[in-house]
Amino acid sequence: MSTLEQYRNEAKNAAEELIETAGLTKGQLVAVGCSTSEVTGHRIGSFSAPELGQALFEGICEALSARGLYLAAQCCEHLNRALIVERAALPPWAETVNVVPRPKAGGSFATAAYQGMKDPVAVEHIRADAGLDIGGTLIGMHLKEVAVPVRLKNDHIGQAHILAARVRPKFIGGERAYYDDRLK
């Protein structure tokens, strides 16, 4: 197995584990930030790798699309961490922006997402239901308000550490309130 195939499989496995652990359901949105530099053992933003971005995108998309989930691929800080999403996944309030990511301005993963999606658009804000942060890309701003860490067994892709999260509804009402245990 080639290194790219290995990374593709690691990405797919991490996405599948997040989907199962977080209990994601059809139509939900998963934010993914990915540093190909970190995956290859380099400092974030210093070693763009388009072929690797493509492999990681393919692995994650295979896991998401098999369950009817949508990807929101985070661009790098040069594009203010905008996201690339399928137009069909946009909530009614989302406003698109005009930018096309490239490996050194948007990142290799977001570039692969833009090239691989059927009808990609860029947005600055989204409220995802779960997320994968591959290599310290800081995806928290793209999750709904109450993010809960998800500990993955598949917690690395190459040299990059993976942080995962899901969201849950807010608990409101105080000590006399009753809660639905299925939503914790």
Side-chain angles (χ1 to χ4, degrees), residues 64-111:
L64 297 181
S65 63
R67 290 165 183 86
L69 300 166
Y70 290 105
L71 170 66
Q74 179 181 269
C75 297
C76 71
E77 64 183 295
H78 295 99
L79 298 186
N80 297 328
R81 291 191 173 81
L83 300 120
I84 305 303
V85 299
E86 288 282 8
R87 187 178 306 274
L90 288 181
W93 55 264
E95 186 174 332
T96 61
V97 294
N98 187 2
V99 71
V100 176
R102 295 289 180 248
K104 294 279 187 188
S108 294
F109 181 76
T111 299

Side-chain angles (χ1 to χ4, degrees), residues 146 168-174 177-181 183-184:
V146 185
R168 66 157 174 78
K170 294 178 185 180
F171 291 140
I172 63 169
Y178 291 87
Y179 301 110
D180 184 340
D181 288 336
L183 299 177
K184 288 184 179 181

Side-chain angles (χ1 to χ4, degrees), residues 103-177:
K104 294 279 187 188
S108 294
F109 181 76
T111 299
Y114 192 89
Q115 293 169 347
M117 289 181 178
K118 292 177 185 136
D119 188 14
V121 294
V123 296
E124 288 185 292
H125 306 286
I126 206 79
R127 294 173 47 120
D129 300 289
L132 288 174
D133 183 328
I134 303 166
T137 60
L138 303 175
I139 62 163
M141 68 184 114
H142 302 305
L143 300 175
K144 291 178 180 173
E145 277 190 52
V146 185
V148 178
V150 174
R151 305 285 182 230
L152 301 177
K153 293 177 198 162
N154 298 294
D155 65 353
H156 279 80
I157 297 175
Q159 299 299 308
H161 186 71
I162 301 172
L163 295 176
R166 64 175 179 86
V167 299
R168 66 157 174 78
K170 294 178 185 180
F171 291 140
I172 63 169
E175 66 184 42
R176 292 187 290 174

Side-chain angles (χ1 to χ4, degrees), residues 9 11-30 58-71 129 132 154:
N9 289 338
K12 180 182 174 194
N13 292 340
E16 288 175 340
E17 186 178 351
L18 173 63
I19 291 164
E20 294 306 316
T21 304
L24 298 177
T25 59
K26 184 177 181 176
Q28 289 188 303
L29 190 62
V30 178
E58 289 172 0
I60 290 168
C61 275
E62 184 178 338
L64 297 181
S65 63
R67 290 165 183 86
L69 300 166
Y70 290 105
L71 170 66
D129 300 289
L132 288 174
N154 298 294

